[in-house]
Amino acid sequence: MTLPNAHPDHDELMRRIARDLVDSYDEELELEIEDRNVDDEGAPVGVDKAARAAYFRELFRLQGELVKLQDWVQHSKQKVVILFEGRDAAGKGGVIKRITQRLNPRVARVAALPAPNDRERTQWYFQRYISHLPAAGEMVLFDRSWYNRAGVERVMGFCSDDEYEEFFRSVPEFEKMLVRSGIKLIKYWFSITDDEQHLRFLGRIHDPLKQWKLSPMDLESRRRWEEYTKAKEIMLERTHIPEAPWWVVQAVDKKKARLNCIAHLLEQLPYHEVAHPAVELPARVRNPDYLRQPVPAEMYVPERY
């Protein structure tokens, strides 16, 4: 079969397509290779290469299922909200990146809200989160959520005792309202040990590409480990409801946590593969009267690489 306007050198075209595919896989590798001291085969020194290869195979398989999930959400006009909570450095951002990496950002988007401003502090507590909820055919992943009140705000004294208790009175009803409205609400808590958080914080301190992840609030959370533990226990006990239960992800092993979380997420939704019509590339229209104008040389970005 001859493609419309096929490249005169078919083999070269196939090589270019293959190179593009390799480049797309390299994007994933860039996310994964956190230790930049790598050997000649691209695996970090000391890493079990077979286990690493198995991880990538399963990750790519699960990401393929996520694409099917996305199509189903869009096709069937579902509304999905996924909350990711956990201690600082627990790995929430890593799993969110792997979930959304190959998805359409117009369908699956991330909501990572900053600290409330002066105006937002005077609003109903849930008000600023509501504007980020999905419309039909959308998935929203909250990188931290309204549960800030039960965690950091409680431990750091950013809310009063009355506001804290009102949160626990309100949040079950709020979440029940979301579910009754047709939103599928899934809540994950990423659990790590004291020692593991300590090691991850040290890693961030000594890695210039990760130091931005350490805020004064993060460092203070390290000192207040036990207070955060107590706040977490109260939160899970008072907000684990049948309509929106909590799911705890064991996250000491980052890679296992990502795979386990994604696999579990896929099991929470009755998605199926959506049939799409075959894609046919149309022939390019060529106008003999069109003359392409040259771009001035000074407009080009210098090719340093």
Side-chain angles (χ1 to χ4, degrees):
M1 181 182 70
T2 303
L3 294 174
N5 302 308
H7 194 283
D9 186 345
H10 183 266
D11 291 340
E12 174 59 22
L13 178 59
M14 291 299 101
R15 284 192 290 270
R16 288 175 58 188
I17 292 173
R19 287 196 296 270
D20 285 341
L21 286 173
V22 170
D23 286 344
S24 70
Y25 291 143
D26 281 350
E27 292 175 3
E28 177 63 27
L29 292 173
E30 288 171 12
L31 282 175
E32 279 304 315
I33 300 175
E34 297 174 347
D35 180 356
R36 283 168 295 283
N37 179 23
V38 297
D39 60 21
D40 292 339
E41 296 184 22
V45 172
V47 167
D48 184 331
K49 295 176 184 177
R52 186 169 177 270
Y55 163 74
F56 276 114
R57 283 195 299 270
E58 186 62 9
L59 178 63
F60 291 149
R61 185 189 71 80
L62 290 172
Q63 288 180 328
E65 293 299 311
L66 286 170
V67 172
K68 296 177 187 177
L69 171 64
Q70 168 189 257
D71 286 349
W72 173 78
V73 166
Q74 192 171 27
H75 178 77
S76 58
K77 305 299 182 184
Q78 302 293 319
K79 294 178 285 186
V80 181
V81 170
I82 312 166
L83 309 187
F84 294 87
E85 295 287 344
R87 297 180 187 274
D88 296 312
K92 302 179 296 297
V95 74
I96 290 171
K97 284 181 181 178
R98 274 67 181 185
I99 291 172
T100 59
Q101 185 182 359
R102 305 185 190 282
L103 302 185
N104 183 346
R106 294 181 178 87
V107 177
R109 53 188 170 83
V110 178
L113 277 62
N117 58 35
D118 290 342
R119 180 176 181 274
E120 289 170 334
R121 290 189 185 94
T122 67
Q123 295 175 342
W124 177 46
Y125 178 70
F126 298 97
Q127 188 169 338
R128 72 190 193 114
Y129 295 100
I130 289 175
S131 63
H132 295 273
L133 294 175
E138 295 178 352
M139 299 168 54
V140 178
L141 292 76
F142 279 87
D143 186 353
R144 296 195 183 277
S145 65
W146 44 86
Y147 283 99
N148 276 342
R149 173 137 296 176
V152 63
E153 290 192 15
R154 174 62 171 176
V155 173
M156 301 302 296
F158 296 155
C159 67
S160 67
D161 290 346
D162 287 344
E163 289 171 329
Y164 179 67
E165 285 302 320
E166 179 57 34
F167 171 81
F168 283 125
R169 283 192 292 269
S170 298
V171 72
E173 296 306 317
F174 175 65
E175 292 179 353
K176 290 175 185 178
M177 288 172 59
L178 296 183
V179 173
R180 287 199 302 270
S181 76
I183 290 175
K184 177 63 176 177
L185 178 59
I186 305 168
K187 305 187 303 195
Y188 288 114
W189 174 269
F190 279 68
S191 178
I192 56 172
T193 63
D194 187 349
D195 289 342
E196 182 64 21
Q197 188 190 53
H198 177 69
L199 289 173
R200 292 183 187 181
F201 274 14
L202 289 178
R204 291 180 177 185
I205 289 171
H206 296 290
D207 188 339
L209 298 183
K210 291 184 177 181
Q211 285 181 3
W212 64 270
K213 293 185 176 183
L214 281 176
S215 68
M217 203 71 63
D218 297 332
L219 297 174
E220 183 63 20
S221 74
R222 182 67 199 140
R223 190 174 69 85
R224 303 193 187 201
W225 171 273
E226 291 183 0
E227 293 177 60
Y228 272 98
T229 298
K230 182 178 178 180
K232 176 208 66 173
E233 292 169 349
I234 294 171
M235 181 193 79
L236 295 181
E237 179 183 356
R238 299 185 67 176
T239 62
H240 180 66
I241 60 175
E243 295 83 356
W246 279 103
W247 298 100
V248 177
V249 180
Q250 296 290 356
V252 171
D253 186 313
K254 291 182 181 180
K255 289 183 171 64
K256 289 181 179 179
R258 293 164 191 162
L259 299 181
N260 288 330
C261 183
I262 296 172
H264 182 269
L265 171 62
L266 292 167
E267 293 171 350
Q268 303 312 299
L269 298 162
Y271 75 99
H272 55 80
E273 189 166 2
V274 177
H276 293 285
V279 178
E280 295 185 6
L281 186 65
R284 176 191 177 300
V285 176
R286 298 180 181 276
N287 188 337
D289 297 327
Y290 170 71
L291 180 63
R292 182 176 178 178
Q293 299 300 314
V295 177
E298 62 270 17
M299 291 179 65
Y300 282 104
V301 171
E303 294 189 10
R304 297 187 175 91
Y305 304 101

